[in-house]
């Protein structure tokens, strides 16, 4: 995507998202990819008991398979960003689908737990990471006005696939064993390649270049051959080429754009997201064991996670619809803060739940708040950095989240072993989520909103020697507008030059006819031919 522009050292001209059309197919692919990426590491846990028997290992040893998958999903974010910026989303997703499938197929032939770590853990985790991040980037490319709804629908893939893959894995385990189950799961992951194939990149600059070449050719056909007419045709093109030549050193395509760290909104989002991940995943991980310790039967305790997943399925699209409202979308960061605050208070208020009814109520509210967080997290990031820098931003954010994932849940497990008390863990996890919500809301209001009000208007200093960041930003905006004008009206600039040159040619012809007493036949034929081309030109411009 944008390969020709990157070779010239320029960023591709932005294209308006269609907000529909083929974008719905892209949304469906993103739904499937999100479901596999988040649900597959959890669904693999149904095979753990059989793996423990065959390889003579403990539960903690087999649990590392899911942990490695998640670590690869989060930790390889910058690598995915570099590959997407270099090769585009579709090739990266096709390679990722093949790697994910090959990892599970090879895992069905392993003979020890280390080989499982390398195949099902590293290889499959890397393949899902190469699918997850590009799918979100393509979703932001195809949707703008409906982007909150699109993000909510895509995020719903996680609970839907979790509710389907876990029972399917149990059936495959009973009929084919864990090796046959891994082999069939590897075949299912080939659907990621299908999802990658439908990620058709938007036409960034080819249409504009084709129309410009056609206009230039038709202009030369219409006007008589002469020095002044050719100068009139190419004057605008020379000026634009001169401007682009000056911009080339600044517009080199970066594999990983670290300039987003100069964005205060991105810094605030990253810090709050790190604090959030420390406590967000702790309650669902410890919920089943917490219920068992309070005397709840095993079957009813396992059903609590199904309640969270069922509520989550409807909460994510509903929250996406609310976030897309005109009076809500400008304040989506505050809605995200509210969802985190809701989730944290749910953890704190349910810490003393001592019966099954209280745990069911907790699961209902936790499912709603958890779905809101899942639907809004990437929407807020897209709103902060924009679609052009989203590929680099999401890679860096996922890398920082990977650190929090490796710190939060394991630390909570150690505290449970040391204190033998789940109540303290729920208080601690809820406090971390509440802290992240308050930090995001207060920092957004104090550092961003008030900072914009106090910002003085920039002073124009034409004698300044070097260009500042503000001047570079303004020049970038001006160039983007030029590219946009080229996309929408590629023929009008050339038409102005043609009209001026044709009027000058007619004036010269009238003077010659006054002196010579007539117009040569050849000139009349040229005029007729030119008139036909001009009619074709107007008709094409009307489309």
């Amino acid at each position: 995507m944008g390969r020709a522009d990157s070779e010239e050292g320029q960023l591709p001209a932005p294209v308006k998202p269609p907000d529909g059309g083929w974008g719905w197919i892209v949304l469906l692919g993103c739904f499937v990819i999100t479901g596999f990426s988040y649900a597959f590491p959890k669904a693999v846990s149904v095979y753990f008991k059989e793996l423990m028997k065959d390889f003579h290992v403990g539960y903690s040893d087999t649990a590392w398979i899911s942990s490695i998958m998640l670590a690869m999903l989060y930790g390889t974010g910058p690598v995915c960003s570099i590959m997407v910026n270099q090769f585009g989303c579709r090739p990266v997703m096709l390679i990722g689908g093949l790697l994910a499938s090959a990892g599970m197929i090879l895992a069905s032939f392993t003979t020890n737990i280390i080989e499982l770590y390398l195949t099902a853990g590293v290889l499959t985790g890397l393949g899902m990471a190469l699918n997850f991040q590009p799918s979100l980037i393509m979703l932001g490319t195809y949707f703008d006005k409906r982007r909150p709804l699109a993000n909510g629908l895509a995020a719903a893939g996680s609970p839907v696939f979790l509710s389907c893959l876990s029972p399917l894995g149990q059936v495959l385990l009973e009929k084919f064993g864990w090796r046959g189950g891994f082999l069939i799961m590897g075949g299912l992951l080939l659907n990621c390649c299908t999802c990658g194939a439908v990620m058709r990149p938007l036409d960034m600059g080819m249409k504009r270049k084709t129309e410009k070449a056609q206009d230039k050719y038709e202009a030369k056909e219409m006007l008589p051959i002469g020095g002044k007419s050719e100068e009139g045709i190419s004057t605008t093109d020379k000026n634009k080429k001169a401007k682009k030549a000056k911009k080339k050193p600044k517009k080199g395509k970066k594999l990983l754009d670290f300039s987003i760290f100069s964005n205060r909104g991105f810094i605030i989002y990253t810090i709050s997201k790190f604090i959030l991940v420390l406590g967000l995943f702790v309650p669902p991980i410890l919920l089943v064991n917490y219920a068992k310790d309070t005397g709840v039967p095993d079957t009813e305790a396992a059903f609590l996670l199904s309640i969270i997943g069922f509520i989550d399925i409807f909460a994510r699209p509903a929250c996406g619809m609310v976030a897309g409202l005109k009076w809500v979308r400008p304040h989506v960061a505050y809605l995200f803060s509210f969802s985190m605050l809701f989730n944290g208070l749910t953890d704190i208020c349910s810490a003393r739940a001592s019966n099954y009814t209280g745990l069911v109520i907790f699961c209902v509210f936790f499912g709603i708040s958890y779905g809101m967080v899942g639907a809004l997290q990437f929407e807020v990031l897209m709103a902060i950095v924009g679609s052009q820098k989203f590929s680099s931003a999401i890679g860096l954010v996922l890398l920082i989240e990977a650190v929090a994932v490796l710190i939060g849940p394991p630390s909570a497990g150690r505290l449970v072993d040391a204190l033998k008390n789940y109540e303290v863990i729920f208080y601690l996890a809820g406090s971390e989520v509440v802290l992240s919500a308050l930090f995001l809301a207060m920092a957004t209001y104090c550092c961003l909103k008030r900072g914009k009000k106090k910002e003085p208007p920039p002073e124009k200093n034409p004698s300044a020697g070097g260009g500042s960041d503000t001047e570079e930003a303004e020049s970038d905006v001006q160039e983007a507008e030029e590219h946009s004008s080229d996309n929408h009206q590629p023929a009008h600039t050339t038409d102005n030059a043609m009209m001026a040159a044709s009027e000058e040619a007619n004036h010269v012809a009238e003077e010659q006819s006054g002196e010579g007493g007539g117009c040569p036949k050849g000139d009349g034929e040229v005029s007729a031919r030119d008139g036909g081309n001009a009619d074709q030109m107007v008709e094409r411009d009307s489309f």
Side-chain angles (χ1 to χ4, degrees):
M1 49 188 293
R3 188 179 303 275
D5 288 335
S6 62
E7 291 176 355
E8 295 177 2
Q10 304 175 42
L11 288 174
V15 175
K16 183 179 179 181
D19 276 310
W22 189 257
W24 298 117
I25 305 298
V26 173
L27 174 59
L28 178 61
C30 190
F31 176 87
V32 175
I33 294 298
T34 304
F36 274 124
S37 300
Y38 280 118
F40 198 84
K42 302 173 185 176
V44 174
S45 61
V46 300
Y47 300 99
F48 284 175
K49 287 187 178 181
E50 292 296 324
L51 294 175
M52 292 166 61
K53 293 179 182 179
D54 287 1
F55 295 143
H56 305 288
V57 295
Y59 181 81
S60 60
D61 296 323
T62 57
W64 271 103
I65 299 174
S66 298
S67 299
I68 293 174
M69 283 186 182
L70 291 174
M72 295 298 294
L73 179 65
Y74 286 98
T76 57
V79 178
C80 297
S81 297
I82 292 174
M83 294 184 66
V84 168
N85 291 334
Q86 180 67 22
F87 304 108
C89 292
R90 179 186 283 177
V92 173
M93 293 184 68
L94 292 175
I95 295 174
L98 293 175
L99 289 178
S101 177
M104 293 303 296
I105 293 174
L106 292 175
S108 64
F109 299 100
T110 56
T111 57
N112 56 64
I113 195 67
I114 301 299
E115 293 177 354
L116 270 178
Y117 292 160
L118 296 177
T119 54
V122 175
L123 200 58
T124 301
L126 177 61
M128 289 189 296
L130 293 178
N131 275 273
F132 175 65
Q133 186 172 324
S135 66
L136 293 178
I137 296 172
M138 291 301 298
L139 191 66
T141 303
Y142 271 86
F143 288 92
D144 183 22
K145 294 181 180 179
R146 298 176 178 174
R147 192 178 63 202
L149 175 61
N151 278 315
L153 292 173
S158 175
V160 170
F161 270 63
L162 181 60
S163 61
C164 296
L165 289 179
S166 295
L168 176 62
Q170 188 65 38
V171 172
L172 294 177
L173 179 63
E174 294 174 357
K175 290 188 176 182
F176 305 103
W178 71 267
R179 294 186 184 274
F182 275 21
L183 192 63
I184 296 174
M185 286 288 193
L188 289 177
L189 286 175
L190 284 175
N191 288 292
C192 295
C193 295
T194 305
C195 297
V198 303
M199 299 295 173
R200 184 174 63 194
L202 289 177
D203 190 3
M204 292 295 182
M206 295 303 296
K207 183 177 180 181
R208 174 176 56 85
K209 291 182 178 181
T210 303
E211 290 181 352
K212 185 176 179 180
Q214 291 177 353
D215 295 339
K216 193 172 182 179
Y217 175 78
E218 291 178 359
K220 289 182 178 180
E221 288 286 327
M222 289 174 62
L223 293 177
I225 300 175
K228 293 183 179 181
S229 59
E230 291 180 352
E231 290 178 2
I233 297 171
S234 60
T235 300
T236 307
D237 292 339
K238 289 182 179 180
N239 293 335
K240 291 183 178 180
K241 288 180 180 179
K243 292 181 180 179
K244 291 180 181 179
K246 294 179 181 179
K247 295 291 180 181
K248 281 184 180 180
K250 296 182 181 180
K251 292 297 179 182
K253 191 173 184 179
K254 299 179 181 179
L255 297 180
L256 193 61
D257 191 359
F258 289 97
S259 65
I260 56 176
F261 283 105
S262 61
N263 188 337
R264 290 181 295 178
F266 177 76
I267 298 296
I268 294 171
Y269 176 86
T270 304
I271 296 175
S272 63
K273 196 69 185 297
F274 179 83
I275 302 173
L276 170 68
V277 174
L278 288 176
L280 180 64
F281 302 119
V282 171
I285 291 176
L286 302 179
L287 178 62
V288 175
N289 291 332
Y290 178 41
K292 291 179 180 179
D293 288 351
T294 57
V296 177
D298 292 352
T299 55
E300 295 181 0
F303 184 68
L304 294 174
L305 292 178
S306 301
I307 296 175
I308 294 177
F310 181 77
I311 299 297
D312 195 6
I313 292 175
F314 299 97
R316 298 195 182 204
C319 184
M321 294 178 63
V322 173
L325 298 177
K326 294 182 179 180
W327 56 275
V328 176
R329 191 171 184 184
H331 311 288
V332 67
Y334 296 106
L335 181 61
F336 186 45
S337 301
F338 171 76
S339 65
M340 292 190 293
L341 182 64
F342 185 16
N343 185 271
L345 293 178
T346 301
D347 296 340
I348 295 174
C349 295
S350 62
R352 293 188 178 182
S354 58
N355 52 36
Y356 189 70
T357 303
L359 291 176
V360 170
I361 296 174
F362 160 74
C363 290
V364 171
F365 285 98
F366 185 85
I368 296 173
S369 60
Y370 189 78
M372 293 175 64
V373 173
L376 295 174
Q377 56 179 345
F378 297 118
E379 168 61 25
V380 174
L381 181 60
M382 290 180 186
I384 291 174
V385 301
S387 60
Q388 295 294 322
K389 295 185 178 181
F390 181 71
S391 60
S392 298
I394 188 175
L396 296 171
V397 168
L398 290 177
L399 177 62
I400 296 172
E401 286 185 22
V403 179
V405 168
L406 295 176
I407 294 175
S411 300
R414 291 184 179 181
L415 287 176
V416 169
D417 295 336
L419 301 176
K420 305 297 181 181
N421 188 354
Y422 288 94
E423 183 178 338
V424 177
I425 306 304
F426 274 74
Y427 280 131
L428 182 61
S431 300
E432 291 170 343
V433 177
V434 169
L435 177 62
S436 65
L438 296 177
F439 175 79
L440 178 62
M442 296 176 63
T444 301
Y445 177 76
C446 296
C447 298
L448 298 182
K449 298 297 182 181
R450 296 181 63 182
K452 290 181 179 179
K453 294 179 180 179
K454 295 181 179 180
E455 185 178 359
E459 297 180 359
K460 296 183 179 180
N461 188 8
S463 61
S468 62
D469 295 338
T470 305
E471 293 172 350
E472 292 180 2
E474 291 177 353
S475 63
D476 294 344
V477 173
Q478 183 178 3
E479 184 179 2
E481 292 177 353
E482 291 177 358
H483 285 302
S484 176
S485 63
D486 290 341
N487 280 329
H488 296 289
Q489 296 177 341
H492 293 297
T493 304
T494 311
D495 289 343
N496 294 332
M498 290 189 297
M499 292 176 62
S502 60
E503 289 177 0
E504 184 176 356
N506 292 333
H507 181 67
V508 173
E510 289 176 359
E511 291 179 354
Q512 292 177 354
S513 62
E515 294 176 359
C519 178
K521 183 178 181 181
D523 293 342
E525 293 175 352
V526 171
S527 300
R529 183 174 65 252
D530 292 346
N533 289 334
D535 294 338
Q536 296 176 0
M537 190 85 172
V538 173
E539 182 179 359
R540 188 184 60 79
D541 287 341
S542 64
F543 289 100

